[in-house]
Amino acid sequence: MDEPEGWYAVALGADIEPSTSAGTRLFGHELVVWRDAGGAVHVWEDRCPHRGMRLSFGFVRGDHIACLYHGWRYDTAGQCRFIPAHPDLEVSPMIRTRTYPCRERAGLIWVRWGAPAEEAEPAPVAASPLRSLYLEAPAARLAAALGEAGPDGLVRFDLAGSPVLVAVQPLAGEASAAHIVVPDTPEAPEADLGRLAAACVTLRRSIEGAAP
Amino acid sequence: MSLRLYDYELDENGYKVRLALGALGLACETVGVDMVPGAEQTRPPLIDLNPLGTLPILVDGDTVLREAEAILAYLARRYDSAGTWLPQEPVAFGETLMWLAFATRELHAATLARRAALFDLPGDGPALEGRARAAFRVMEDHITLRGFSGLDWFAGTGPTIADLALFPAFALSRDFGIDHEAYPGLRRWSRRVRGLPGFRTMPGIPDYH
């Protein structure tokens, strides 16, 4: 799978609550997305260096994430800080996970894939979370149905008569996700979100049903 | 009151009943049954309690009940004096029964997929997994849509036995290879279920998150 470098949305910010983690994929690579108790998000390779267990199965305590298998605890820099079986051990700096640059923008959590970005951070966008749609369709088919993304990674799309912003996440092969937010405008009523969320189901059906 | 539950610890249907016992704060004697590999529930004396040869079985005095969803409904009606776990209000009651039916029918694929994966019991893994994914998607759409109306649970306005009946299949789905990646709404709902007073874990469901 071609892996163009850039920023990719991996979740709605609201779906990763403080002190929780979730597993996801980008181009088939397993990632853990987690938010520490202070609210900062982190996107790492989803692998404990000890036994290869997925860290997304583990748990967040304060500003550490711990592996489900043996409780090895990692700080926000991905450095292992504590090994329960050897509580007095000063953990080697070699024991660390692979971390990726990440940020929150437009109500979405983004990860940088490929070489670190040189460009200036794009202007913030005020938006309300709608939902993440997970589709059994390759990312290319989403792009064909939704349109191409702008330089900030967001597709401007008309969903049932309302403007929404969509970020496509290529999960793996035939699986992809569309993270959808509604730009905040004074005239957009809050109650409209339910109608748009229902329209997402129709959109998913139409994309999955489209000829490859 | 003296409740007795015939149960196998790794069985998610028994787990539904354990969740209800915890939620209702009920004491219960548990009789461990060798379901795998012994299939003890298909032979006397248990076959005389339940001719279907399935678990769980609840005995309450002279009452003998099988089918987890029926047991949940019985426990709620009999012991939940506040009447919230099986709501009286007609719409919430109908919704609760609708999701109980879903738990027994659509989610049965998840039960079979898990048994095939964990216990090497016969079953078409990929087909069952596909049906389980389809069922989880229906749940994900439902709980996500309800969130926009400020509703956090599957039926009515608060937690009901529908939530308890639906929880095990989703919470244990990694046992048969379905990750929670595609279900952010269900992940957040699971967290609410975990936070319910009296919540219990089982093997495969860690007690923290």
Side-chain angles (χ1 to χ4, degrees), chain B residues 128-148:
Chain B
L128 291 171
E129 191 189 309
R131 282 165 54 204
R133 281 184 197 278
F136 292 156
R137 182 183 266 197
V138 170
M139 291 169 63
E140 172 72 15
D141 286 349
H142 178 74
I143 206 73
T144 302
L145 279 178
R146 282 173 71 81
F148 290 101

Side-chain angles (χ1 to χ4, degrees), chain A residues 14-15 17-18 20 22-25 57-59 61 68 130-131 134 171 193 197-198 204 208, chain B residues 133 137 140-141 144-145 148 174 179-185 187-188 191-192 206-209:
Chain A
D15 279 336
E17 297 169 297
T20 66
T24 189
R25 290 166 297 164
F57 286 27
F59 49 98
R61 288 286 178 272
L68 179 69
L130 189 60
R131 70 172 291 188
Y134 288 81
L171 297 170
L193 291 175
R204 182 182 63 205
E208 288 186 336
Chain B
R133 281 184 197 278
R137 182 183 266 197
E140 172 72 15
D141 286 349
T144 302
L145 279 178
F148 290 101
R174 289 147 161 182
D179 190 41
H180 291 171
E181 174 184 54
Y183 314 105
R187 286 201 307 261
R188 295 177 64 184
R191 206 157 164 253
R192 294 193 283 276
D207 57 358
Y208 40 72
H209 208 74

